[in-house]
Amino acid sequence: MSSSQVAVLGAIAGFTIYLGLPIGRLRAPAPRLKAGLNALAIGILLFLFWDVLAHAWEPVDGALADKHWSTALGNGLVLAAALGIGLLGLVYYDRWTARRRAAASSSSIGPGAAATGDPALQPRTKSAAAGLATMIATGIGLHNFAEGLAIGNSAATGEVSLAVLLIVGFALHNATEGFGIVAPLAAAGERPSWPTLALLGLIGGGPTFVGTLVGQRFVNDTLSVAFLGLAAGSILYVVIELLSVARKTGLKELTTWCILLGLLAGFATDAIVTAAGA
């Protein structure tokens, strides 16, 4: 797979986020459709989490088998640190976003507005929702950059099968992330314009493409372990968040079936790519 092909596929993986963003303009989005897509993404990401960690562990396992203790320890520590940064970094970003949201809400509602319920006294509530949507898109963009690094580095090191799986998994994942970005706008009753959706998609999805380009330029085992660790941490965080969303829908049967379908789709994609000789 050439560098240009990898770059194009990385762009596709990132910009599928635009598939979910138009939901923010729907007056009454179908709950079962959103729940099904959310659960499908969970299943695919669970498979991807396992697959990414398996590839990240290979250099450590190989060094242990060859009794290269310092290399094994170094790569093991890099994996642990990258996994922690990918997971906990998004947790603390989410907490910071929540504080910003609370501050924006308190500053946007004037004295007496809550008591009277008069919309005229709450002129900035919608802009607070737009600001929150932008912060969510920024957080998604940060972890999409790590995922792009993993795509580019995997392709550059000859792990074409893993790169293709990452592209498929992240593409489906990004398609569902669009829902999360526009959720604050929907909750505030604000129908975003198409230019607003285009900007939010660029913030959230563009870093996948940039990360793919960067990941192809820097190639060695330790960097590969770091990039895959970052991706695994961010995937785990997203799975936790998506499971929380799934629980709130109350559609347990649909969710379980779609998670199973997502897992099977991950294995099927891996089997097809491997059988094709990638």
Side-chain angles (χ1 to χ4, degrees):
M1 188 180 294
S2 67
S3 297
S4 59
Q5 288 175 318
V6 175
V8 169
L9 291 175
I12 293 172
F15 289 107
T16 53
I17 200 168
Y18 283 108
L19 297 177
L21 288 173
I23 294 294
R25 291 185 57 83
L26 296 180
R27 299 297 185 186
R32 292 183 68 85
L33 174 63
K34 291 200 298 181
L37 290 174
N38 182 77
L40 187 66
I42 291 172
I44 292 170
L45 289 172
L46 283 173
F47 171 81
L48 196 55
F49 176 69
W50 165 77
D51 199 45
V52 167
L53 279 185
H55 281 82
W57 183 251
E58 281 180 2
V60 181
D61 194 51
L64 288 172
D66 295 335
K67 302 189 186 306
H68 296 159
W69 310 121
S70 60
T71 301
L73 178 61
N75 284 338
L77 290 174
V78 167
L79 175 58
L83 186 63
I85 291 171
L87 175 61
L88 296 175
L90 289 174
V91 170
Y92 285 106
Y93 178 85
D94 185 57
R95 178 177 294 180
W96 176 77
T97 300
R99 287 199 298 265
R100 288 288 301 273
R101 180 183 183 182
S105 298
S106 62
S107 64
S108 64
I109 300 177
T116 64
D118 187 351
L121 297 177
Q122 303 178 21
R124 289 179 289 170
T125 302
K126 290 184 177 181
S127 63
L132 178 59
T134 301
M135 285 189 284
I136 292 173
T138 301
I140 289 173
L142 288 172
H143 90 253
N144 278 348
F145 180 74
E147 293 170 350
L149 290 173
I151 291 172
N153 203 248
S154 298
T157 54
E159 295 281 356
V160 179
S161 176
L162 176 60
V164 172
L165 275 173
L166 288 168
I167 289 165
V168 172
F170 294 152
L172 291 169
H173 167 213
N174 278 332
T176 64
E177 281 186 330
F179 306 148
I181 292 175
V182 295
L185 297 171
E190 181 175 357
R191 196 162 179 250
S193 66
W194 288 111
T196 297
L197 292 181
L199 178 60
L200 291 173
L202 184 63
I203 294 171
T208 308
F209 172 66
V210 177
T212 301
L213 296 179
V214 174
Q216 291 185 84
R217 300 294 185 272
F218 303 96
V219 181
N220 66 46
D221 281 347
T222 301
L223 277 177
S224 179
V225 168
F227 292 161
L228 291 173
L230 285 171
S234 64
I235 291 170
L236 181 56
Y237 173 81
V238 171
V239 167
I240 293 170
E241 292 297 298
L242 293 182
L243 284 170
S244 175
V245 172
R247 184 172 290 107
K248 292 176 182 177
T249 64
L251 300 170
K252 189 172 184 178
E253 293 83 0
L254 175 65
T255 296
T256 305
W257 272 106
C258 288
I259 289 176
L260 176 61
L261 289 175
L263 277 168
L264 295 177
F267 280 104
T269 304
D270 188 32
I272 292 170
V273 172
T274 302

